[in-house]
Amino acid sequence: MSTKYVYTFGDGKAEGKADMRNLLGGKGANLAEMNLIGVPVPAGFTITTEVCTLYNQEGKDAVIKLIENDVKAGIAATEKLMNAKFGSKGEAFPLLVSVRSGARVSMPGMMDTVLNLGMNDDAVKIVAEKSGNARFAWDSYRRFVQMYGDVVMGVAAGKGEHNPFEVEIDKLKAEKNISNDTEFSAEDLQELVRRFKIVVKTKTGKDFPTCPWEQLWGAICAVFDSWMTERAVLYRQLNQIPEEWGTAVNVQAMVYGNMGNNSATGVAFTRDAATGEDIFNGEYLINAQGEDVVAGIRTPQEITIEGSRRWAKMQNISEEERAAKYPSLEESMPAAYAELNAVQQKLEDYFHDMQDLEFTIQDGKLWMLQTRNGKRTGTAMVKMAVDMLEQGMINEETAILRLEAAKLDELLHPVFDKESQSKAKVLTKGLPASPGAACGRVVFFADEAEEWKNRGEQVVLVRLETSPEDLRGMNVSEGILTARGGMTSHAAVVARGMGKCCVSGAGEIVVDYHKRSFTVKGVTINEGDWISLNGSTGEVYLGKVATTEASLDHDFRTIMDLAEKHTRMYVRTNADTPRDAKVARDFGAKGVGLCRTEHMFFEGDRIDAMREMILSDTVEQRRIALSKILPMQRSDFEGILEAMDGFGVTIRLLDPPLHEFTPNEPESQKYMAEKMGISVEVVKEKVDALHEFNPMLGHRGCRLGITYPEITEMQARAIIEAACNLKLKGFNPKPEIMVPLVGTVKELRQQANIIRCTADVVFAEKGVKVDYMVGTMIEIPRAALTADQIAEVAEFFSFGTNDLTQMTFGYSRDDAGKFLPEYIKKGILKTDPFAVLDQEGVGQLVQMGAQKGRSTNSKLKLGICGEHGGEPSSVIFCDKVGMDYVSCSPFRVPIARLAAAQAAIMHTNK
Ligand code: PEP
Ligand code: MG
């Protein structure tokens, strides 16, 4: 059977359906499904994502040949259903189409769209004549030249310049003394078409194409090309979307929101994407086409009366003025609104999730152009899942699986300190586009935001409006402020996706890119000045406003309880202080997976005792030095064991190379020489002798304990004494002593002997016993390869995937930052392997270590304490290989708990 490349839809029928999103893209699959469930959708067809992959492999000409007949058949089917003719010479109403991208997952604003395709000097006359609306015909034409010129022919603004088409629009407005696009006459728009064509010719050296078929192939290829543009590649990197997925192309008959004052276009959400409240909301514009709503050129109106009143209140607009100038759709087109309201309910019920809709009303008739699961903030994500669960729309498993674990982060982020906020000067107010608090120095250009950030500055990006080119700059900014655009503008949608604070449509600010400043109510803010944004209220403040930690609400706790119910693995934390351990315990951590004891050697004057130990010549001298450190370590351990009372606490013996502790400055060498009563020369010699060419692979980890067993003995004593002291006070301490950087079982055996002997001595001294364990990190490839031997001595393994990644790839943890970004950019690596576990390579060693370990010790406890323990996809992998727990930094504990529950559900369902 030959492969099917084109799927048609229209008039209640469709060749595709919702579960074909991999092939048809999200948009194409849902357009098909909407047809099937009786929602009014203009006819059209979808070219599959497979064609995009072929396009990238085999090139344009081969692909056009391959799908030419199918595309022609698709156009013919659309012509029939819409009763129109593509390239009409007057025999029928011209068929104009939209050409849009649509990947498997939505990539808002990333891919290009062309509307009104098929328009030319013939079509415009017929449209004018047959519709009886010349203004509408010429408006459609000028939009087409502008979009096609931009997207397909590459007409673009230079840095700091305005879009050349917008410049022409502004010029003509000035000439005609009008302020709104809607005031242009048909003749004005005809003039714009003429001027736009000149812009195209001047900028590209090419004439604007008049043949509809040439236009269509140009647009289809432009969509495929847009899959590989820098901004799309970057978006995919940020969101971990594989290149091979490709995008589909949707070619669909146009319906017209710009046909007059009984026409409109808009976008809507079935629930509030920012707060999660179950409130239908959205924005629309009368006599406009879709891109006007998102481009932020005109400020859109609200769909519901309730939303409109709330908006007016925020803008300080009276009810009379609102009703007269900015009525809601509910008021201005009640019949179309009622139909839209019914459709939105139907779609949410059908897809069991919040929908993000695009619609057009053509001469009073409603058409749906898109439905998809809407992007949402972390707060909204949690609220919607809990509400839908309570409303009986979804079950517990779906509620958990639907959550994006990494997005919980937003709920844990700081908000403005109330008092500091009440004292701060409000400069102006825009729309609360993406919640949270941000504070930074003003910059006006996205590339400069990156430069500033690289210099270590904290910035807020201020723009008239943003476009996909600004993505990189937005990503590094603390927050984004725009002068134009609504809640669905590019800035708003993208910032919400990034979980970044954004205030959009702050209409009172006047941005001057040349002077690099903006003014508001007589106050001028220059580049580099500090401002603060409240993305939850839309307020913009002068200067810095202090922030406080977020408070976690009922919905968050409900989700965490659900996660608890469904999880198999539990979550521990990496904590070196009692305070961190307490924070993590509040977030639901059940124990400490890694306490790095070396951090404790740097506090106060402990370093002196440590240096004395290193510079000592004899075991006795070393013991004296270590005995000074012992009580300090013991009190550290007591604090942590107490904070995690009843749960396991894995304390790792000293890990880093000794030279990290040596006195390297002449001053400190002199100080140590005096303190120890030896010469500076001797100190210097010892320091030089400890120098290593490759410290990461040098004298560190258990190698220290092997060469200086006194260190292991002292640490084991401090841990066991701490536990005994607590036990005597009525606590239930559960220490787990972990030996780092083991590569052979003999290393572990020697260290374990010292630990166990020391414990016995302490138990005898204290007259009390505690349960404790001895185990090891698996962080050297050889340890994973010989895990069966090691597990005969170890009671637990904790995978140290930081070092394991370093040693498996051979990438230095300290230096990889210099080349990894290039590796990711060039597609050699998909993600940074120090952040996201490389399941293909390093993962094999983890899996082997787990299997081999359990093969000789079935009770072996398994966990992970590398950075990957808080990264959702790695957590899911850990569940798959049968770990008992993952351990991560305190603020990632909720994320790991959710990911662990998701993993359990996914692996059970399988
Ligand atoms: C590891 O190597 O993964 C680990 C947790 O230890 P550290 O990062 O301290 O080397
Ligand atoms: Mg390590």
Side-chain angles (χ1 to χ4, degrees):
M1 204 180 77
S2 66
T3 315
K4 188 167 170 60
Y5 293 120
V6 170
Y7 287 72
T8 58
F9 55 82
D11 203 24
K13 296 191 192 69
E15 292 179 315
K17 55 183 179 352
D19 65 8
M20 290 168 71
R21 61 187 304 129
N22 292 1
L23 190 65
L24 302 180
K27 190 183 300 233
N30 282 358
L31 283 171
E33 194 75 14
M34 282 200 286
N35 261 286
L36 296 175
I37 64 170
V39 169
V41 175
F45 57 90
T46 303
I47 305 172
T48 68
T49 54
E50 283 175 5
V51 179
C52 182
T53 308
L54 288 172
Y55 184 91
N56 288 326
Q57 285 164 358
E58 293 175 24
K60 183 172 168 174
D61 295 342
V63 160
I64 293 181
K65 215 164 142 208
L66 185 73
I67 61 170
E68 194 168 14
N69 287 336
D70 295 342
V71 168
K72 281 187 178 154
I75 288 285
T78 310
E79 284 176 328
K80 207 164 148 209
L81 288 176
M82 300 304 286
N83 196 20
K85 175 97 184 86
F86 195 57
S88 170
K89 296 268 185 233
E91 66 277 30
F93 196 85
L95 173 69
L96 303 188
V97 294
S98 66
V99 178
R100 297 169 199 251
S101 61
R104 211 186 274 197
V105 292
S106 92
M107 295 170 62
M110 287 302 100
M111 305 292 290
D112 293 322
T113 290
V114 179
L115 301 180
N116 305 313
L117 188 141
M119 212 20 135
N120 58 20
D121 293 348
D122 290 330
V124 72
K125 287 190 196 113
I126 311 164
V127 171
E129 194 190 304
K130 299 217 183 228
S131 69
N133 188 339
R135 190 190 178 283
F136 149 69
W138 284 101
D139 189 38
S140 303
Y141 197 4
R142 71 97 188 162
R143 284 166 188 278
F144 172 54
V145 179
Q146 184 170 355
M147 286 186 108
Y148 196 91
D150 173 12
V151 170
V152 182
M153 303 185 75
V155 175
K159 185 178 167 187
E161 279 176 16
H162 288 283
N163 178 298
F165 296 116
E166 294 296 336
V167 170
E168 292 301 331
I169 292 176
D170 287 344
K171 259 198 232 159
L172 194 63
K173 274 188 195 162
E175 285 168 31
K176 300 282 166 179
N177 201 18
I178 57 175
S179 56
N180 244 320
D181 294 12
T182 46
E183 294 169 66
F184 280 134
S185 68
E187 290 69 32
D188 295 338
L189 293 162
Q190 183 169 2
E191 174 60 16
L192 269 187
V193 169
R194 194 185 67 80
R195 293 190 190 182
F196 280 5
K197 285 184 177 172
I198 295 170
V199 168
V200 169
K201 179 85 188 185
T202 326
K203 289 265 179 188
T204 68
K206 291 186 201 137
D207 287 322
F208 192 84
T210 53
C211 166
W213 285 101
E214 185 187 341
Q215 294 170 357
L216 181 61
W217 287 112
I220 291 172
C221 293
V223 173
F224 287 144
D225 287 334
S226 72
W227 182 249
M228 294 307 291
T229 55
E230 200 192 326
R231 70 188 193 217
V233 171
L234 177 70
Y235 187 90
R236 286 204 294 274
Q237 270 170 21
L238 290 174
N239 294 280
Q240 283 154 40
I241 298 170
E243 187 183 310
E244 335 43 288
W245 283 6
T247 178
V249 183
N250 297 292
V251 179
Q252 191 179 19
M254 286 295 302
V255 284
Y256 307 95
N258 57 337
M259 225 180 201
N261 287 336
N262 197 24
S263 298
T265 189
V267 293
F269 297 95
T270 60
R271 296 185 188 219
D272 191 316
T275 64
E277 283 166 289
D278 190 2
I279 299 173
F280 177 45
N281 65 99
E283 295 169 333
Y284 79 108
L285 281 171
I286 291 183
N287 199 9
Q289 279 195 335
E291 78 275 15
D292 297 343
V293 184
V294 280
I297 293 160
R298 280 163 62 187
T299 295
Q301 288 154 238
E302 292 285 325
I303 286 184
T304 64
I305 297 180
E306 198 190 327
S308 178
R309 291 200 172 127
R310 207 177 321 130
W311 171 84
K313 210 166 158 195
M314 282 199 298
Q315 306 283 327
N316 282 329
I317 291 171
S318 71
E319 173 60 13
E320 293 68 41
E321 189 184 347
R322 181 202 69 78
K325 282 200 198 155
Y326 313 101
S328 64
L329 185 71
E330 198 172 351
E331 294 157 290
S332 61
M333 299 183 187
Y337 169 80
E339 200 186 341
L340 177 66
N341 195 19
V343 166
Q344 66 93 8
Q345 198 57 59
K346 180 172 185 168
L347 288 171
E348 185 179 282
D349 290 346
Y350 187 78
F351 288 104
H352 304 298
D353 201 354
M354 187 268 274
Q355 297 297 295
D356 166 353
L357 311 167
E358 282 180 25
F359 64 91
T360 282
I361 297 163
Q362 175 179 310
D363 207 15
K365 171 162 175 44
L366 175 75
W367 293 95
M368 299 309 294
L369 303 181
Q370 172 164 300
T371 189
R372 61 182 172 196
N373 294 339
K375 298 242 171 225
R376 58 203 72 178
T377 62
T379 312
M381 169 185 85
V382 169
K383 177 158 178 54
M384 284 178 201
V386 172
D387 284 355
M388 287 184 188
L389 178 69
E390 284 167 2
Q391 290 163 358
M393 265 173 97
I394 54 175
N395 62 18
E396 291 182 355
E397 286 84 352
T398 308
I400 290 177
L401 288 177
R402 177 171 290 174
L403 299 171
E404 241 179 278
K407 257 198 170 156
L408 282 185
D409 212 21
E410 287 168 42
L411 275 76
L412 312 169
H413 278 315
V415 290
F416 281 137
D417 170 68
K418 284 217 165 58
E419 210 187 314
S420 174
Q421 187 175 3
S422 68
K423 286 187 200 138
K425 178 180 159 54
V426 178
L427 265 180
T428 184
K429 209 167 171 187
L431 298 173
S434 182
C439 173
R441 303 179 69 185
V442 169
V443 292
F444 293 95
F445 299 100
D447 56 345
E448 290 172 14
E450 284 190 89
E451 285 163 28
W452 284 54
K453 177 76 184 183
N454 289 340
R455 289 207 302 262
E457 299 282 358
Q458 194 175 317
V459 297
V460 168
L461 181 64
V462 180
R463 302 280 304 162
L464 280 174
E465 72 252 325
T466 63
S467 74
E469 277 75 27
D470 298 325
L471 185 65
R472 227 182 248 276
M474 293 168 77
N475 193 39
V476 298
S477 301
E478 304 301 314
I480 297 132
L481 169 64
T482 68
R484 299 175 182 160
M487 292 290 281
T488 47
S489 64
H490 177 266
V493 171
V494 172
R496 276 204 293 275
M498 287 177 174
K500 200 156 284 259
C501 166
C502 173
V503 173
S504 68
E508 287 178 336
I509 71 170
V510 181
V511 177
D512 188 329
Y513 288 138
H514 290 291
K515 287 196 190 141
R516 290 170 184 264
S517 65
F518 73 84
T519 48
V520 52
K521 296 181 198 146
V523 183
T524 299
I525 312 292
N526 292 307
E527 180 180 85
D529 290 349
W530 285 86
I531 60 167
S532 302
L533 308 178
N534 186 338
S536 311
T537 62
E539 273 148 341
V540 181
Y541 297 92
L542 191 61
K544 294 186 195 178
V545 182
T547 54
T548 55
E549 300 300 322
S551 66
L552 301 170
D553 65 359
H554 158 79
D555 293 328
F556 176 81
R557 297 197 186 279
T558 307
I559 288 299
M560 286 294 113
D561 290 346
L562 272 186
E564 188 70 31
K565 182 171 161 193
H566 288 271
T567 197
R568 185 190 63 76
M569 292 190 297
Y570 59 100
V571 176
R572 290 187 171 194
T573 191
N574 293 358
D576 308 329
T577 63
R579 194 177 49 92
D580 283 356
K582 276 196 204 98
V583 170
R585 191 169 182 155
D586 286 345
F587 281 140
K590 291 183 173 164
V592 169
L594 175 64
C595 169
R596 291 176 165 104
T597 53
E598 57 270 18
H599 294 169
M600 301 167 167
F601 284 89
F602 287 98
E603 264 173 36
D605 57 1
R606 295 178 186 197
I607 189 71
D608 290 355
M610 187 64 189
R611 286 176 172 166
E612 259 182 74
M613 197 275 303
I614 297 169
L615 299 171
S616 302
D617 275 328
T618 64
V619 174
E620 286 65 38
Q621 280 176 348
R622 262 199 300 278
R623 281 191 193 282
I624 294 170
L626 283 168
S627 68
K628 296 183 190 165
I629 304 174
L630 187 133
M632 307 173 195
Q633 286 246 287
R634 187 175 52 218
S635 80
D636 292 336
F637 298 145
E638 270 187 45
I640 292 187
L641 286 164
E642 189 182 328
M644 275 296 173
D645 190 42
F647 290 128
V649 174
T650 309
I651 298 171
R652 182 179 69 185
L653 302 182
L654 195 61
D655 184 5
L658 282 185
H659 74 82
E660 284 194 14
F661 299 99
T662 50
N664 297 320
E665 305 302 319
E667 282 291 288
S668 46
Q669 291 182 351
K670 197 164 152 247
Y671 171 78
M672 282 313 297
E674 276 165 19
K675 193 163 181 181
M676 293 178 67
I678 51 176
S679 73
V680 181
E681 285 69 35
V682 173
V683 173
K684 222 173 143 316
E685 265 169 37
K686 295 226 176 210
V687 171
D688 289 346
L690 284 167
H691 170 79
E692 289 181 317
F693 287 103
N694 198 341
M696 269 293 181
L697 301 178
H699 196 179
R700 60 176 280 223
C702 68
R703 296 156 208 172
L704 288 174
I706 300 278
T707 43
Y708 301 112
E710 313 80 66
I711 303 179
T712 307
E713 200 185 308
M714 179 279 287
Q715 289 203 290
R717 177 173 272 278
I719 296 165
I720 300 292
E721 283 185 1
C724 289
N725 291 350
L726 284 175
K727 182 129 189 212
L728 289 169
K729 285 192 222 160
F731 290 98
N732 180 18
K734 293 189 166 170
E736 297 173 6
I737 303 176
M738 180 154 77
V739 181
L741 227 69
V742 159
T744 100
V745 67
K746 287 187 184 155
E747 288 169 318
L748 180 62
R749 191 167 282 130
Q750 284 201 7
Q751 292 291 292
N753 276 342
I754 298 173
I755 296 165
R756 293 194 204 282
C757 290
T758 308
D760 288 343
V761 172
V762 176
F763 292 154
E765 285 169 10
K766 294 268 177 191
V768 64
K769 271 192 175 182
V770 289
D771 290 333
Y772 72 99
M773 289 175 124
V774 180
T776 183
M777 306 269 295
I778 299 291
E779 53 185 341
I780 289 186
R782 195 181 188 284
L785 295 165
T786 59
D788 44 353
Q789 297 169 26
I790 295 174
E792 286 175 352
V793 179
E795 291 171 278
F796 66 87
F797 281 176
S798 178
F799 289 90
T801 43
N802 302 334
D803 273 309
L804 195 58
T805 300
Q806 166 170 264
M807 290 184 239
T808 305
F809 274 96
Y811 296 163
S812 155
R813 284 165 71 172
D814 295 337
D815 303 309
K818 296 204 181 102
F819 57 85
L820 276 184
E822 197 65 19
Y823 267 50
I824 291 165
K825 206 162 135 201
K826 296 204 161 127
I828 294 170
L829 293 175
K830 273 193 186 141
T831 47
D832 178 345
F834 289 106
V836 179
L837 185 75
D838 161 49
Q839 297 182 19
E840 210 183 352
V842 180
Q844 281 200 49
L845 285 169
V846 173
Q847 193 161 14
M848 182 190 294
Q851 270 168 4
K852 284 196 154 200
R854 288 232 168 106
S855 73
T856 54
N857 179 354
S858 60
K859 289 204 200 100
L860 186 72
K861 180 147 85 177
L862 295 177
I864 181 175
C865 63
E867 277 309 295
H868 308 92
E871 192 283 318
S873 68
S874 314
V875 171
I876 291 169
F877 175 81
C878 293
D879 186 77
K880 210 162 73 188
V881 302
M883 289 197 197
D884 296 295
Y885 70 87
V886 296
S887 186
C888 57
S889 58
F891 275 85
R892 289 169 93 183
V893 166
I895 297 169
R897 289 179 69 197
L898 177 58
Q902 291 178 329
I905 294 169
M906 282 184 320
H907 296 144
T908 313
N909 288 352
K910 232 182 203 170

